[in-house]
């Protein structure tokens, strides 16, 4: 046991209290402690949204394919191919030039979300492309079925790994919610894919999509509340400013779209409207979380104060330990 620990234990036994008041936190000239993300919101938040739409869409497409809902399956396969292509374009635009994405594939590192995400996109993209091409042309149906299954297996990882990627940073509003963020991204992706199925598929085939939208809305709301509870004071960045506006809009659009789809989704105009609301809600969720991350990095108190709270929780005499 160290000398410092012996001293602390001795003070605790004697009931001594610190006489120096705890210092109020101030950073150097009020400057941020960490650098805010340099990513453009349209590139990376858009990449989060499109990847989720593609991955969850492949899962729903496989279900529609297996149950004979061929029009919905084809629409979702084309949607997933389009979304993953735009997602890759957004990522490459952020990287600056295509060769940098190719360079990311030179490394296979299971402990790196970035490395695993690059390989996931590299494997998922061709599978989604083959599934869509077979569905549209009607050629090579067996190969199309295998590709549909492969895309569906990789889809959940494609939809959620971006949540792990964001949580693996030092950004307080993301890292503090590292347990909930992948599940929140999964729920948001399911809402987006359900919305696409409602919008692009026939009304007579959309009952599974309406059920999925309802489950996604419940899970999305529950995960967002759980994340805010875990974040503590950092949750202010999820509730205020641009992030707060986007996340409140996301909640209203997702719940409204799911309810409208459940009640009136058998009518084509209502199905399209609820689908658009679900897609918009999912996009607002990703852009809102991105904005919360930037806001939390810009204010140094969101970096330092949670660390002090964790230190105080670990040491009952935390004030004396930090003095």
């Amino acid at each position: 046991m160290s000398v410092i620990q012996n001293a602390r234990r001795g003070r605790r036994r004697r009931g001594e209290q610190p006489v120096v008041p705890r210092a109020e936190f101030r950073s150097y000239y009020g400057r941020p402690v960490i650098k805010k993300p340099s990513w453009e919101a349209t590139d990376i938040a858009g990449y989060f949204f499109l990847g989720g739409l593609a991955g969850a869409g492949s899962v729903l497409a496989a279900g529609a394919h297996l149950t004979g809902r061929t029009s919905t399956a084809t629409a979702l396969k084309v949607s997933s191919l389009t979304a993953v292509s735009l997602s890759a374009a957004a990522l490459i635009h952020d990287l600056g030039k295509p060769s940098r994405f190719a360079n990311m594939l030179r490394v296979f590192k299971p402990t790196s979300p970035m490395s695993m995400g690059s390989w996931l996109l590299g494997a998922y993209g061709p599978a989604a492309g083959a599934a869509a091409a077979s569905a549209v042309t009607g050629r090579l149906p067996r190969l199309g079925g295998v590709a549909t299954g492969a895309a569906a297996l990789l889809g959940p990882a494609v939809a959620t790994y971006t949540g792990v990627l964001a949580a693996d940073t030092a950004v307080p509003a993301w890292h503090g919610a590292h347990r909930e963020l992948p599940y929140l991204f999964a729920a948001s992706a399911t809402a987006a894919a359900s919305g696409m199925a409602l919008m692009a598929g026939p009304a007579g085939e959309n009952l599974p999509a309406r059920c999925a939208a309802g489950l996604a809305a419940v899970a999305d709301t529950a995960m967002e509340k759980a994340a805010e509870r875990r974040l503590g004071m950092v949750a202010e960045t999820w509730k205020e400013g641009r992030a707060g506006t986007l996340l409140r809009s996301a909640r209203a659009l997702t719940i409204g779209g799911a309810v409208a789809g459940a009640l009136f989704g058998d009518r084509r105009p209502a199905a399209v409207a609820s689908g658009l609301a679900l897609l918009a809600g999912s996009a607002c969720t990703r852009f809102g979380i991105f904005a919360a991350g930037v806001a939390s990095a810009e204010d140094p108190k969101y970096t330092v104060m949670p660390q002090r709270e964790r230190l105080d929780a670990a040491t009952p005499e935390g004030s004396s330990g930090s003095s």
Side-chain angles (χ1 to χ4, degrees):
M1 184 176 294
S2 68
V3 174
I4 294 176
Q5 286 173 317
N6 282 330
R8 286 177 179 172
R9 178 164 291 186
R11 285 199 297 268
R12 195 187 312 165
R13 282 199 297 266
R14 293 193 298 272
E16 294 180 1
Q17 298 296 324
V19 296
V20 179
R22 185 166 189 174
E24 182 180 350
F25 166 71
R26 286 184 300 176
S27 69
Y28 184 71
Y29 286 101
R31 296 179 64 84
V33 176
I34 62 172
K35 286 186 178 180
K36 70 176 184 179
S38 59
W39 303 323
E40 290 292 334
T42 49
D43 287 339
I44 298 305
Y47 167 64
F48 290 173
F49 165 69
L50 291 167
L53 173 61
S58 288
V59 177
L60 293 187
H65 181 96
L66 290 173
T67 55
R69 295 176 169 86
T70 54
S71 298
T72 300
T74 301
L76 287 172
K77 289 174 188 178
V78 172
S79 162
S80 290
L81 175 61
T82 305
V84 76
S85 300
L86 293 174
S87 171
L91 177 60
I92 290 170
H93 184 261
D94 181 75
L95 292 172
K97 50 185 178 181
S99 61
R100 289 178 178 163
F101 179 75
N103 289 338
M104 291 163 68
L105 297 175
R106 294 189 304 178
V107 177
F108 186 85
K109 190 175 181 181
T111 57
S112 167
M114 180 68 77
S115 176
M116 290 296 94
S118 303
W119 280 99
L120 271 173
L121 285 179
Y124 171 81
S134 176
V136 171
T137 63
R139 296 188 174 184
L140 303 173
R142 289 187 179 179
L143 177 61
V146 172
T148 298
L153 287 175
L154 294 170
V158 172
T160 57
Y161 94 89
T162 47
V164 179
L165 180 66
D168 198 40
T169 65
V171 176
W174 299 341
H175 183 73
H178 65 278
R179 294 186 189 279
E180 293 81 11
L181 212 53
Y183 297 105
L184 178 55
F185 274 37
S188 177
T190 304
S194 302
M196 181 58 73
L198 286 169
M199 197 176 69
E205 295 183 358
N206 70 14
L207 181 58
R210 291 156 59 190
C211 294
L215 292 173
V218 172
D220 188 283
T221 305
M223 284 298 105
E224 187 178 330
K225 292 298 178 187
E228 289 176 358
R229 283 196 298 272
R230 186 180 298 279
L231 284 168
M233 67 170 292
V234 183
E236 292 172 2
T237 60
W238 286 47
K239 300 175 182 175
E240 299 173 355
R242 174 180 167 79
T245 302
L246 284 167
L247 290 173
R248 283 192 295 274
S249 301
R251 199 157 45 242
L253 287 165
T254 302
I255 294 174
V259 171
L263 296 177
F264 310 110
D266 56 342
R267 303 169 196 172
R268 181 69 184 151
V272 172
S274 62
L276 286 172
L278 288 163
L279 283 164
S282 178
C284 285
T285 296
R286 308 309 176 96
F287 279 81
I289 291 172
F290 184 88
V294 173
S296 70
E298 287 177 335
D299 192 332
K301 72 178 182 183
Y302 295 124
T303 303
V304 176
M305 297 304 289
Q307 294 176 359
R308 287 189 172 178
E309 290 175 357
R310 288 194 291 272
L311 181 63
D312 289 348
T315 56
E317 71 285 15
S319 57
S320 63
S322 61
S323 64

